[in-house]
Amino acid sequence: MKIFLLLVSVQICLISAGFPACVEHEKDPWYWRGQAQKTLQKALSLQHLNTRVAKNIIMFLGDGMGVATVTAARILKGQLQSKSGEETQLEMDKFPYVALSKTYNTNAQVPDSAGTATAYLCGVKANEGTLGVTAATVRGQCNTTTGNEVTSILRWAKDAGKAVGIVTTTRVTHATPSAAYAHAANRDWFSDNEMPPEALQQGCKDIARQLVDNVPDIEVIMGGGRKYMAPQNTRDIEYPNEPKANGTRLDGRNLTEEWIERVKTENAQYVWNLRQLKQLNLKEVDFLLDFVK
Ligand SMILES: *[C@@H]1O[C@H](CO)[C@@H](O)[C@H](O)[C@H]1NC(C)=O
Ligand SMILES: *[C@@H]1O[C@H](CO)[C@@H](O)[C@H](O)[C@H]1NC(C)=O
Ligand SMILES: *[C@@H]1O[C@H](CO)[C@@H](O)[C@H](O)[C@H]1NC(C)=O
């Protein structure tokens, strides 16, 4: 009988749909006070700081994911479950420790991915549009790069004997992931085709080339941007009829081929689609390059 009544009340809620949902317990002050007490008790019970040394670190970065974006995600999650939304918890809302950061660039109040990636991956704030360099590097001026390069957490992890990886839903040469391995006066220098002749003459290297040339070797690379690895006017293996998917490199290098050559003694695998990825026996793979469009 109780169950039956419950179902009826749910139905009434749905019929009077829209906002605010008719949730009886929200009218009771003790519902909110009880929630506050629970939150407080949880915070007070966190007496034992974890002082052990981390074995592995996985850093997730949601590009542009500020507080307002997270709020929108939380509301959407709740609304997809037919609630009003705000009361829902994201998994990350349950984390015991939370911090805020200031995300400016040295020359910009509203920062860009390159300068901010340099900040959270290399620990150094930089100019808008610059990657893996200090604020002494001027965007687009190749000759301000040398001597101003900064190392990233990838290098520090390597030095600590760890394997490292970059996995991204964007291009591997995009500003956000590339600050992990490249030093560039301009985030747009994906391949030599995107660089001004002057920068090439002055000896600056494009970002894709640095992915393969720069030490340390990155064990896992998964993401998009295959075309920046391939010579100009060569067709893409998966999209041969899409001119925009053509290779871009002026230097004629096939960087994917070079990567394979470079790590071939190390249980290395190159794949470019899901089927190939799923077929891998990961126990026998030490180096993985997964390049999609
Ligand atoms: C650096 O390059 C810029 C052009 O990008 C040029 O104006 C400047 O003179 C160069 N500086 C030096 C010291 O070579
Ligand atoms: C793409 O590559 C093909 C094969 O070399 C070539 O025929 C075509 O002109 C290229 N298209 C563009 C826009 O570069
Ligand atoms: C570059 O090398 C990769 C790996 O061997 C190969 O799959 C691809 O077809 C090559 N691209 C060109 C344009 O030769």
Side-chain angles (χ1 to χ4, degrees), residues 233-235 243-244 246:
N233 288 328
T234 56
R235 293 183 197 274
K244 276 191 176 168
N246 272 12

Side-chain angles (χ1 to χ4, degrees), residues 230-231 234-235 237 254 256-257 260 270 272:
T234 56
R235 293 183 197 274
I237 193 157
N254 181 341
T256 307
E257 192 60 52
I260 293 169
Y270 164 61
W272 53 268

Side-chain angles (χ1 to χ4, degrees), residues 171-185:
R171 290 170 177 162
V172 176
T173 49
H174 188 273
T176 298
S178 63
Y181 60 87
H183 312 284

Side-chain angles (χ1 to χ4, degrees), residues 15-264:
I15 289 165
S16 64
F19 191 90
C22 50
V23 183
E24 273 309 309
H25 61 244
E26 289 188 343
K27 297 176 185 171
D28 177 357
W30 289 105
Y31 166 70
W32 301 106
R33 291 184 179 138
Q35 206 176 60
Q37 282 301 316
K38 257 190 238 160
T39 307
L40 192 59
Q41 286 310 321
K42 227 188 233 168
L44 287 170
S45 71
L46 281 176
Q47 293 159 347
H48 301 292
L49 273 181
N50 184 347
T51 54
R52 284 174 293 185
V53 176
K55 194 173 159 204
N56 297 299
I57 299 174
I58 300 175
M59 178 176 177
F60 286 87
L61 191 280
D63 206 340
M65 202 165 74
V67 174
T69 309
V70 174
T71 302
R74 182 184 304 116
I75 293 171
L76 176 66
K77 180 184 175 186
Q79 292 188 345
L80 288 173
Q81 298 166 349
S82 304
K83 298 177 192 161
S84 62
E86 290 82 348
E87 74 284 45
T88 307
Q89 265 198 331
L90 294 169
E91 284 310 309
M92 65 176 134
D93 290 337
K94 301 174 191 166
F95 290 173
Y97 300 105
V98 177
L100 295 170
S101 61
K102 294 194 281 184
T103 54
Y104 66 99
N105 292 155
T106 48
N107 65 343
Q109 225 164 36
V110 179
D112 88 317
S113 297
T116 48
T118 304
Y120 58 72
L121 294 173
C122 309
V124 170
K125 283 207 188 284
N127 286 323
E128 189 180 31
T130 64
L131 290 168
V133 288
T134 70
T137 298
V138 181
R139 182 173 190 172
Q141 280 201 29
C142 163
N143 62 7
T144 60
T145 310
T146 305
N148 297 321
E149 298 91 342
V150 287
T151 55
S152 81
I153 192 165
L154 241 58
R155 166 66 70 83
W156 313 334
K158 270 273 167 171
D159 289 349
K162 305 289 177 185
V164 298
I166 297 172
V167 179
T168 178
T169 55
T170 184
R171 290 170 177 162
V172 176
T173 49
H174 188 273
T176 298
S178 63
Y181 60 87
H183 312 284
N186 196 336
R187 58 178 285 174
D188 300 327
W189 293 350
F190 304 120
S191 75
D192 52 357
N193 204 339
E194 287 74 38
M195 292 175 66
E198 179 195 68
L200 288 170
Q201 277 154 20
Q202 290 176 353
C204 279
K205 289 184 182 180
D206 63 86
I207 295 165
R209 183 175 164 192
Q210 293 190 52
L211 177 67
V212 177
D213 280 2
N214 286 2
V215 281
D217 285 331
I218 302 165
E219 276 85 353
V220 175
I221 303 169
M222 298 173 79
R226 204 158 52 201
K227 65 179 182 176
Y228 300 116
M229 307 288 279
Q232 195 183 28
N233 288 328
T234 56
R235 293 183 197 274
D236 185 74
I237 193 157
E238 192 176 6
Y239 302 95
N241 298 319
E242 272 187 41
K244 276 191 176 168
N246 272 12
T248 64
R249 304 200 61 79
L250 300 176
D251 61 11
R253 290 170 70 169
N254 181 341
L255 294 177
T256 307
E257 192 60 52
E258 289 185 27
W259 181 89
I260 293 169
E261 190 59 31
R262 183 173 163 149
V263 292
K264 69 178 176 200

Side-chain angles (χ1 to χ4, degrees), residues 271-287:
V271 297
W272 53 268
N273 61 50
L274 187 60
R275 187 182 48 80
Q276 293 173 328
L277 182 66
K278 283 183 168 169
Q279 278 172 356
L280 294 178
N281 177 3
L282 294 179
K283 288 203 176 94
E284 288 168 12
V285 179
D286 292 328
F287 277 76

